[in-house]
Amino acid sequence: MRIILLGTPGGGKGTQAKLICDHFAIPHISTGAIFREKVKEGTALSREISSYTGTGQLVPDPITISLVEERLTKDDCKNGFLLDGFPRDKKQAEALDRIMNKKNKQIDFVFLIDVPKEMIVDRILGRRVCPKCAESYHIKYNPPKAPGHCDVCGTALIHRADDQEQIILDRLAIYNQTTQPILEFYETKGILHKIKGDGGIQEIFSQLNEIIEKVQKKLNRK
Ligand code: AMP
């Protein structure tokens, strides 16, 4: 099953991605996470990437698209994957179509998690991540068991450099400008599903799951 998860940064996308990937046993491919890994390598490419990610700007398409293609070619993507953070604009959506066509595959589901702006700022300002294993927390809504430390590996949690209010507002503005054409692109293909993202974590996951089951039942009947 090949899924794209769309939604404003901080809209709970990462949490839902993890639930879906565990449930359907598919890899979670997040371009943000791919970039954060690359930045750690300390190469010229790392410095170029961090000049964009550190200021909330989009990394240029040639870099982004080739890293995504490289990732989707790995063995663990044979039975599907979930893309989180990609595509971010229509050009990237078209590039993804070309990558899929080369493999004779197609995207099955595109989910948009729709969350009000005030809620997003609140969620991002409270977000803390583990720099070692990338586990994500929220100081209010999903706190770690030991304050400030990762439940999985015990590492001290960090507040990401790009999770500051002005950077968040800039990211939201870029996001809104570029997302509308993607929604139209996938709506035309009939695979876009809009999900109300202001409910609880399990409530949102149930909405996603119901849609997947409904579509799969329909396909099995054909
Ligand atoms: P995220 O973890 O999705 O919030 O992404 C963190 C940062 O990575 C973004 O602010 C961008 O600088 C960069 N990024 C993530 N996905 C993409 C993408 N599809 N295209 C370009 N830049 C991206």
Side-chain angles (χ1 to χ4, degrees):
M1 187 172 2
R2 285 166 290 271
I3 300 176
I4 295 173
L5 200 52
L6 297 174
T8 32
K13 201 163 34 88
T15 307
Q16 292 302 323
K18 196 166 181 306
L19 289 174
I20 297 170
C21 290
D22 287 350
H23 191 79
F24 294 101
I26 50 176
H28 175 191
I29 299 176
S30 146
T31 37
I34 291 176
F35 290 137
R36 283 188 284 282
E37 276 305 304
K38 282 278 162 202
V39 164
K40 285 191 204 153
E41 290 173 6
T43 60
L45 179 63
S46 312
R47 285 185 288 282
E48 189 176 354
I49 291 173
S50 74
S51 71
Y52 296 99
T53 54
T55 52
Q57 294 176 72
L58 291 180
V59 176
D61 275 354
I63 301 176
T64 307
I65 291 164
S66 76
L67 286 175
V68 168
E69 181 158 19
E70 185 186 305
R71 181 64 189 87
L72 294 184
T73 304
K74 294 203 170 146
D75 252 15
D76 63 344
C77 292
K78 273 202 180 119
N79 296 325
F81 51 78
L82 179 142
L83 273 172
D84 168 9
F86 185 92
R88 276 284 220 280
D89 59 24
K90 193 172 170 205
K91 271 200 176 145
Q92 291 187 355
E94 288 165 350
L96 179 61
D97 251 19
R98 287 193 292 275
I99 296 172
M100 289 292 99
N101 285 340
K102 271 197 245 171
K103 297 178 187 299
N104 258 329
K105 299 269 167 30
Q106 82 285 324
I107 298 295
D108 303 304
F109 296 94
V110 179
F111 291 111
L112 169 73
I113 304 184
D114 223 2
V115 184
K117 187 164 147 187
E118 313 71 55
M119 201 177 253
I120 289 166
V121 172
D122 184 48
R123 282 187 185 173
I124 297 188
L125 287 181
R127 182 157 72 180
R128 298 293 179 272
V129 290
C130 174
K132 190 163 175 219
C133 71
E135 196 68 19
S136 180
Y137 302 87
H138 190 283
I139 48 176
K140 242 193 286 178
Y141 308 120
N142 179 29
K145 291 191 188 93
H149 289 85
C150 179
D151 290 351
V152 180
C153 67
T155 306
L157 301 176
I158 57 162
H159 190 191
R160 267 170 44 187
D162 58 346
D163 282 353
Q164 311 298 334
E165 188 153 1
Q166 192 49 53
I167 296 180
I168 297 166
L169 293 174
D170 291 349
R171 281 160 74 195
L172 282 180
I174 300 178
Y175 180 83
N176 289 333
Q177 267 170 28
T178 52
T179 306
Q180 197 51 39
I182 311 184
L183 300 183
E184 285 160 17
F185 184 81
Y186 289 119
E187 194 144 39
T188 312
K189 289 178 184 282
I191 55 173
L192 175 70
H193 304 272
K194 292 185 184 167
I195 306 287
K196 267 168 65 76
D198 53 0
I201 292 175
Q202 281 305 328
E203 202 180 313
I204 300 172
F205 180 60
S206 300
Q207 289 183 61
L208 288 162
N209 220 352
E210 267 170 33
I211 293 171
I212 293 174
E213 281 173 7
K214 210 155 108 190
V215 172
Q216 279 185 330
K217 261 189 206 147
K218 215 155 107 188
L219 289 178
N220 288 342
R221 262 189 255 124
K222 277 187 185 167

